[in-house]
Amino acid sequence: MKMRVGLIGLGHAWESRHCPALRSLSDRFQVIAVCGEVAQRSEAVAREFRAVSLDGFRVMIERNDIDAVLVLSTDWVGHLPILAACDAGKAVYAAAPLDIEPTQVDEIRRRVDESGIAFMAELPRRHAPATLRLKELIATRLGPPRLLFCHERLTCEDRMAAGRRGFARQVALRNLMELVDWCRYVVGHDPSSVIAARNQGVVGGTPSFYQSVSLDFSRPDRPEVEGPIAQLSIGHYLPARWREALPFRRPASLQVCCENGIAFIDLPSTLIWFDDAGQHSESLETERPVGEQLLTHFHRAVTSLIRKTSDLEDAYKALTVVNAAGQSISEERRIRLTF
């Protein structure tokens, strides 16, 4: 079945992820219409895919020749396309699911549930080849995770370029939510508490942002067992003129210390792990790219008889953890989590 889709927004990952994936999966997806923030760019993409460029997302969603919508950016329209798709009964692929404001989450969950549509949130770190291979190793060789260290470091200007929709801090929190979801997926269950710290100052004459979050994955129903701990950090504190410092001694994107070994991940496809037998290096560049895997999952979700909305719940839980981290900073204490 070839799914007829409309594109709402193009986003920062269009050239690197979404466009190549749609081209590779042309036997499964046909782009019918494009609606973006910049008309000239939308028209260029529409010509490339032999589609039409539209000014309004509601007009696109209500078209009879559209089966599903790919919401690739919400910088200019927020969550409104998701609600419009619910009204029209169209499936939604949300490339920016963690940009949802806390006050909007309950409404979106209710509307998606009432409409019965298929909804998939794009959580690319989960589907990266290195992450999937790590999950295999945890199940077979490395054993359960005990400690996780997850870091992301960007320049101040990268943060500002990505923050057209609002304040720079909002962009940092979106990245932090992705890291929270990544750790939840690797561990395999929800954290029970969170404690956080934040620093906002001026570095090299440019406003900076840094936040660290510690997640305790101990299970409340098993107090006698000490659960994994995840240490996350997100930083936007290097001015662009110091860009050469960005890759210098950069830590691994994810470091996982397990019961029987330790693994280091650099996204999307590099995994180095150690056990009693020594070092093992795996390059997974021959695996299908993340964008293709995600759209393939979405195609299956729409065409399957089993309705898929679990990703929305995952996005909601990540947002809950980050909000609790903010509460921890303001109240200077550890916050217990309930889902």
Side-chain angles (χ1 to χ4, degrees):
M1 173 185 173
K2 181 174 285 192
M3 188 183 303
R4 301 168 300 177
V5 300
L7 309 181
I8 299 178
L10 296 173
H12 69 280
W14 168 252
E15 298 292 344
S16 61
R17 182 187 304 152
H18 301 125
C19 181
L22 287 169
R23 285 188 169 281
S24 298
L25 299 173
S26 58
D27 59 326
R28 301 189 186 187
F29 292 93
Q30 179 184 0
V31 178
I32 299 295
V34 182
C35 176
E37 181 179 12
V38 181
Q40 187 174 5
R41 190 183 184 200
S42 298
E43 291 168 359
V45 171
R47 287 194 299 269
E48 183 180 355
F49 284 88
R50 297 182 180 179
V52 297
S53 176
L54 300 175
D55 294 330
F57 65 85
R58 294 186 187 277
V59 174
M60 170 195 293
I61 291 173
E62 292 172 357
R63 287 174 61 120
N64 293 328
D65 57 352
I66 295 288
D67 301 315
V69 292
L70 310 185
V71 184
L72 305 183
S73 173
T74 59
D75 286 347
W76 53 295
V77 290
H79 69 301
L80 296 179
I82 298 176
L83 301 183
C86 290
D87 293 337
K90 304 294 177 69
V92 175
Y93 177 92
L98 303 179
D99 281 342
I100 299 171
E101 299 294 335
T103 56
Q104 300 165 352
V105 172
D106 289 336
E107 179 186 9
I108 292 174
R109 294 170 73 196
R110 178 180 59 80
R111 295 283 292 274
V112 169
D113 185 61
E114 291 176 351
S115 67
I117 65 169
F119 180 98
M120 179 171 170
E122 184 179 83
L123 301 170
R125 285 177 169 85
R126 286 173 168 246
H127 296 278
T131 304
L132 299 178
R133 175 58 178 152
L134 174 62
K135 290 286 283 186
E136 292 177 357
L137 290 171
I138 288 174
T140 58
R141 299 284 296 275
L142 294 176
R146 294 294 180 233
L147 294 170
L148 297 89
F149 302 93
C150 192
H151 307 281
E152 182 154 337
R153 184 173 69 191
L154 301 172
T155 68
C156 298
E157 283 74 11
D158 287 337
R159 170 205 62 191
M160 295 301 293
R164 291 175 299 161
R165 180 178 164 211
F167 298 105
R169 176 173 172 271
Q170 181 67 24
V171 179
L173 295 186
R174 184 192 192 282
N175 290 332
L176 183 59
M177 283 187 275
E178 291 187 0
L179 300 186
V180 168
D181 177 77
W182 198 14
C183 289
R184 284 183 59 248
Y185 179 71
V186 171
V187 173
H189 60 83
D190 296 319
S192 57
S193 66
V194 57
I195 188 168
R198 181 185 299 153
N199 178 276
Q200 299 180 89
V202 176
V203 176
T206 306
S208 66
F209 178 92
Y210 178 85
Q211 182 166 327
S212 64
V213 175
S214 180
L215 301 177
D216 184 354
F217 283 88
S218 299
R219 292 177 179 264
D221 58 336
R222 300 177 62 187
E224 74 283 358
V225 179
E226 191 173 34
I229 294 291
Q231 184 68 39
L232 288 65
S233 69
I234 176 75
H236 303 80
Y237 49 82
L238 292 175
R241 60 184 180 276
W242 300 353
R243 187 173 292 274
E244 291 183 357
L246 189 62
F248 183 70
R249 294 186 179 177
R250 181 195 289 271
S253 298
L254 178 64
Q255 176 183 339
V256 184
C257 182
C258 300
E259 200 170 78
N260 303 316
I262 188 168
F264 300 83
I265 283 183
D266 282 311
L267 294 177
S269 55
T270 300
L271 172 64
I272 300 175
W273 56 284
F274 301 80
D275 62 2
D276 292 342
Q279 177 177 331
H280 312 267
S281 299
E282 300 189 26
S283 180
L284 306 166
E285 294 179 355
T286 59
E287 298 290 327
R288 176 175 286 190
V290 174
E292 291 183 29
Q293 292 193 43
L294 290 165
L295 286 180
T296 299
H297 284 306
F298 179 62
H299 189 275
R300 291 174 183 166
V302 176
T303 57
S304 171
L305 296 178
I306 301 176
R307 183 165 171 253
K308 177 181 175 61
T309 59
S310 59
D311 290 337
L312 182 58
E313 187 68 20
D314 290 324
Y316 166 74
K317 289 184 176 181
L319 179 60
T320 299
V321 172
V322 171
N323 287 340
Q327 181 184 354
S328 170
I329 292 169
S330 62
E331 299 181 6
E332 299 183 348
R333 66 182 181 91
R334 178 176 293 275
I335 304 298
R336 297 292 173 183
L337 297 169
T338 57
F339 299 100

